[in-house]
Amino acid sequence: MPLVIVPPPVPPDPPKVWPKVPTPPGKRIVWVSPDGEEFPLTDGDTYISVTGRSGFGRVVPELVTEGTASGAARLADYRDSPRLMRIPLIVEGGDPGRYLEAYRALVASTRHRRPDHVAMGRIRVELPSGQWREIPAVYHGGLDPSEDELDDLMWSRQEHPSLEFYAPDPYFVGPEQSLVWRLASERRAFFPIYPIRVASSQVGGDATITSPGDADSYPVWEITGPGTPVITNATTGQTWGFGEEVPAGETVTVDCRPPDIAPQT
């Protein structure tokens, strides 16, 4: 009688393990309250930012036009309008107590009214490279969610798809930069603006300082004597200086920031 020998089954090859492509961490968006408390909105812990963010790119300009005799419009001015940033957010606490604590803390951080002024918060965007930009802003809306029966049963998680922050000045700013130029033996720090030329009317030569940003900037100059420096804006050609020499060791401060005064109507 013939014998039939069945060989044991051959085990399958182990599955191939493909190496994972490392992905850099995403950018972080942080809300900084007027009191300085920070609320990370993209870390995915208590506050979870979901898709649908907007308002972080180029703002929509305001076009000021005037009518003409031909019926066509004449463009009188071109202005960058204030920025409105939308950050769809989920507030999650795990249980009702932690949820209420997180939600109330976020609501408290949006109280901007002070007895004599409006206190601004900041939206800060942090890149994986370590660079960051931030913009002064105030809460605009979106923390009053619509609720249903399921929310009453869970009461530990709530979606805020229309959380918005309003920035009156549409430009993000980075860390302040100081440039040093020596007319004499002492140091003087300058905050950069658009291409300008700094020159002494008598001695010391000149130096050119260029702003690394793409928005108007307004420096605060601290000039220590001796000398009679002359400052020229290379873009506009405007020049200012001193009618007499700044004495040795004396510091003169020139603040070029525009006053925050409402126009008269």
Side-chain angles (χ1 to χ4, degrees):
M1 180 176 182
L3 298 177
V4 178
I5 300 175
V6 179
V10 179
D13 295 334
K16 293 183 178 181
V17 179
W18 300 99
K20 293 184 177 180
V21 178
T23 56
K27 65 182 179 183
R28 298 179 73 234
I29 297 180
V30 181
W31 163 242
V32 184
S33 73
D35 296 328
E37 185 177 1
E38 297 188 358
F39 294 82
L41 304 181
T42 54
D43 289 358
D45 187 9
T46 302
Y47 307 105
I48 307 169
S49 176
V50 295
T51 57
R53 293 195 297 263
S54 63
F56 289 85
R58 183 69 169 94
V59 297
V60 178
E62 176 186 359
L63 305 181
V64 181
T65 60
E66 297 177 349
T68 63
S70 65
R74 185 183 73 86
L75 186 61
D77 200 359
Y78 183 98
R79 307 170 184 169
D80 285 334
S81 57
R83 183 183 297 273
L84 186 62
M85 296 166 286
R86 173 172 293 185
I87 308 175
L89 193 70
I90 296 175
V91 180
E92 190 169 39
D95 59 66
R98 286 185 294 175
Y99 163 74
L100 280 177
E101 182 181 0
Y103 175 73
R104 288 170 177 170
L106 185 59
V107 170
S109 72
T110 61
R111 297 192 177 101
H112 299 278
R113 186 66 182 172
R114 298 294 186 269
D116 56 348
H117 69 287
V118 176
M120 304 291 291
R122 303 191 307 277
I123 290 289
R124 186 171 69 239
V125 179
E126 302 174 356
L127 301 180
S129 62
Q131 295 178 319
W132 59 269
R133 294 291 185 272
E134 65 181 17
I135 186 170
V138 295
Y139 166 72
H140 188 260
L143 283 180
D144 185 18
S146 58
E147 300 183 1
D148 53 25
E149 292 80 3
L150 185 59
D151 294 321
D152 295 334
L153 293 175
M154 296 175 56
W155 213 39
S156 60
R157 182 181 184 275
Q158 186 59 259
E159 297 180 359
H160 305 273
S162 301
L163 177 61
E164 293 179 339
F165 295 91
Y166 175 85
D169 188 334
Y171 296 108
F172 283 84
V173 297
E176 181 176 309
Q177 300 184 26
S178 295
L179 301 182
V180 176
W181 179 69
R182 295 183 179 182
L183 173 64
S185 60
E186 298 180 1
R187 301 176 60 190
R188 288 178 292 280
F190 299 89
F191 191 85
I193 59 173
Y194 279 119
I196 55 174
R197 180 171 297 275
V198 183
S200 168
S201 60
Q202 297 177 353
V203 295
D206 57 23
T208 299
I209 301 173
T210 303
S211 170
D214 56 2
D216 293 340
S217 56
Y218 305 94
V220 177
W221 300 84
E222 292 184 357
I223 302 171
T224 303
T228 53
V230 177
I231 291 86
T232 301
N233 188 317
T235 300
T236 64
Q238 294 178 316
T239 298
W240 62 269
F242 295 87
E244 57 185 34
E245 181 180 7
V246 180
E250 182 175 331
T251 299
V252 178
T253 300
V254 181
D255 192 342
C256 297
R257 294 173 296 185
D260 189 11
I261 300 176
Q264 296 181 355
T265 57

